[in-house]
Amino acid sequence: MLQLFNSFSNLKENFEPFESHSVKIFICGPTLYDNTHLGHARIFLTYDLLCRVLHQNGFATDVLVNMTDVNQNVFHKAKEESQDYKKIASYYAKRFVSDLSSLNVKSINRLAFVSDYVQLIEKHIDELIQKNQAYMAHGNVYLRTGNLSHYGNLSKQTGQQLSLHRLDVGPGKKDQNDIMLWNGADDFDVSWKSKFGKGIPWWHIQDTVVALENFGKNYDIHGGARELVFPHHEAHLAQYGVLANSDSPVKSWMYVGLVLTGNQKMSKSLGNVIWIKDLLQKYGQNLVRMYLFSYHYRQDIEFTESDMMSKKILLDLLMSSKTKTGANTDTEIKSLLESFVSALNDDLNSPLALEYVDKICTKIRQGKQMSVSDFDLMCDILGIVV
């Protein structure tokens, strides 16, 4: 049975979706002002692997990715280039989709642009105000968190720890922990008219409404980078819980570790990014997958090209083994293949799964038989194209 680590419970749990045969997955998507780097690619390759494993377990998947085009970085980029923000967002969205296609990511069902949801966001913010769960203050709107007993549970923070953060500071804010829903500041290059006044829907409520409008009152997996746990996902859970009238509208919170360069997070703002388009042009998607899957998805990776190149030995062994496959699979290799699948069912233990790939290919080279269909199945689960 598939087990996944749930960051909410801090436990590895048997995975059982809300619906028996369908799994709804929300992935925090890109902010559309620059290209895709290796850290982003790792996120989407991880959930692509997850979907392939879910399919192997008999589940259908519905993967939703929010496309963040309502954001100061997008607006600033548009201003720098004297372009409409939608044109900038559209350009980088196409680059993002192209990069995922080159990575053989086939698991995404829906892309949702936040700008298409602004009126719906306004509607849900008003709903929160009508419930007295949100309030207006000097053009901004905030979610009340004082009566949310579960607030802080995802990030494992006490009320005292939460109070130490200084987030979304503004005049008239009633509680430091209250979450901004609508920002009425007048220093944005783009804004929308609303019943709250001019402004923009703030970061956290964007994802909440995109997920709610597409998935309804619950879904199975929320994914993204580990750094998003607080404040972004803590706020998302608080908002979603109130709108869905549930303390646990999401079954499992599943986070991917960071990709580091020079012991620092790979980040556009730090200027230490490795663009995925450059890696793909130089090494191809098979080696990128083999490299990233050689680490467990929850583990941080310190990227070096020499480390990535060291994975080419196994990739070459895999590719050369394809020519020696046949009609049947020996019992010994069938057992190793079952162990390969079991490793991935154990919270996507891809490093262990690759050890079984090595053993299988070594056996093939030694003359053991593996059928073409079994070999192709193994490669397909990993997304390796042979």
Side-chain angles (χ1 to χ4, degrees), residues 207-315:
D207 290 12
T208 300
V209 172
V210 166
L212 187 65
E213 288 294 326
N214 282 275
F215 285 156
K217 293 190 174 182
N218 55 56
Y219 59 98
D220 300 296
I221 296 173
H222 193 108
R226 190 185 66 241
E227 62 183 332
L228 296 177
V229 175
F230 185 86
H232 187 40
H233 288 172
E234 192 74 72
H236 174 80
L237 177 57
Q239 296 160 171
Y240 213 106
V242 174
L243 289 168
N245 195 30
S246 170
D247 288 344
S248 54
V250 180
K251 179 78 70 170
S252 184
W253 298 79
M254 181 180 171
Y255 291 109
V256 179
L258 303 179
V259 177
L260 312 173
T261 50
N263 289 317
Q264 289 185 305
K265 184 193 85 168
M266 191 172 289
S267 160
K268 297 169 188 174
S269 60
L270 293 174
N272 63 347
V273 297
I274 308 296
W275 301 116
I276 195 62
K277 60 184 176 65
D278 296 332
L279 281 181
L280 288 171
Q281 186 175 15
K282 191 172 182 180
Y283 299 112
Q285 82 94 21
N286 282 345
L287 186 56
V288 172
R289 279 182 180 260
M290 193 68 79
Y291 167 65
L292 291 174
F293 295 164
S294 68
Y295 293 89
H296 193 272
Y297 76 89
R298 288 191 279 121
Q299 179 183 1
D300 289 348
I301 299 176
E302 175 68 36
F303 173 78
T304 66
E305 286 199 54
S306 59
D307 187 23
M308 190 170 75
M309 282 301 298
S310 69
K311 314 309 176 191
K312 194 171 184 300
I313 297 171
L314 177 55
L315 179 59

Side-chain angles (χ1 to χ4, degrees), residues 322-340:
K322 169 72 173 183
T323 62
K324 298 184 179 297
T325 54
N328 300 302
T329 301
D330 287 347
T331 302
E332 188 175 0
I333 290 187
K334 190 171 287 292
S335 177
L336 290 171
L337 183 60
E338 290 171 358
S339 296
F340 162 83

Side-chain angles (χ1 to χ4, degrees), residues 102-276:
S102 297
L103 286 164
N104 194 30
V105 173
K106 298 180 178 180
S107 50
I108 296 172
N109 302 91
R110 315 188 221 180
L111 299 175
F113 289 82
V114 171
S115 60
D116 294 333
Y117 289 77
V118 174
Q119 287 185 328
L120 290 166
I121 293 171
E122 180 185 354
K123 182 191 81 170
H124 286 296
I125 292 176
D126 188 51
E127 179 185 342
L128 292 168
I129 292 174
Q130 297 307 315
K131 288 181 174 180
N132 198 33
Q133 193 61 57
Y135 59 92
M136 296 179 60
H138 297 272
N140 300 330
V141 183
Y142 298 94
L143 180 81
R144 303 178 191 273
T145 59
N147 63 341
L148 302 179
S149 60
H150 61 276
Y151 187 66
N153 288 355
L154 180 61
S155 57
K156 307 297 181 290
Q157 295 184 82
T158 64
Q160 183 178 9
Q161 289 170 320
L162 288 167
S163 69
L164 298 176
H165 299 285
R166 292 290 177 265
L167 302 172
D168 301 329
V169 176
K173 185 175 179 180
K174 296 180 180 180
D175 187 308
Q176 173 54 37
N177 291 330
D178 290 349
I179 300 162
M180 182 178 282
L181 304 173
W182 185 267
N183 191 328
D186 59 4
D187 57 351
F188 300 116
D189 299 306
V190 179
S191 63
W192 282 263
K193 292 180 181 179
S194 77
K195 60 180 62 180
F196 326 119
K198 287 180 64 177
I200 67 171
W202 209 229
W203 182 29
H204 314 303
I205 194 66
Q206 295 179 14
D207 290 12
T208 300
V209 172
V210 166
L212 187 65
E213 288 294 326
N214 282 275
F215 285 156
K217 293 190 174 182
N218 55 56
Y219 59 98
D220 300 296
I221 296 173
H222 193 108
R226 190 185 66 241
E227 62 183 332
L228 296 177
V229 175
F230 185 86
H232 187 40
H233 288 172
E234 192 74 72
H236 174 80
L237 177 57
Q239 296 160 171
Y240 213 106
V242 174
L243 289 168
N245 195 30
S246 170
D247 288 344
S248 54
V250 180
K251 179 78 70 170
S252 184
W253 298 79
M254 181 180 171
Y255 291 109
V256 179
L258 303 179
V259 177
L260 312 173
T261 50
N263 289 317
Q264 289 185 305
K265 184 193 85 168
M266 191 172 289
S267 160
K268 297 169 188 174
S269 60
L270 293 174
N272 63 347
V273 297
I274 308 296
W275 301 116
I276 195 62

Side-chain angles (χ1 to χ4, degrees), residues 322 370-381 384 386:
K322 169 72 173 183
M370 186 177 195
S371 70
V372 173
S373 59
D374 281 345
F375 186 88
D376 288 347
L377 172 65
M378 179 176 70
C379 293
D380 185 61
I381 292 173
I384 301 291
V386 293

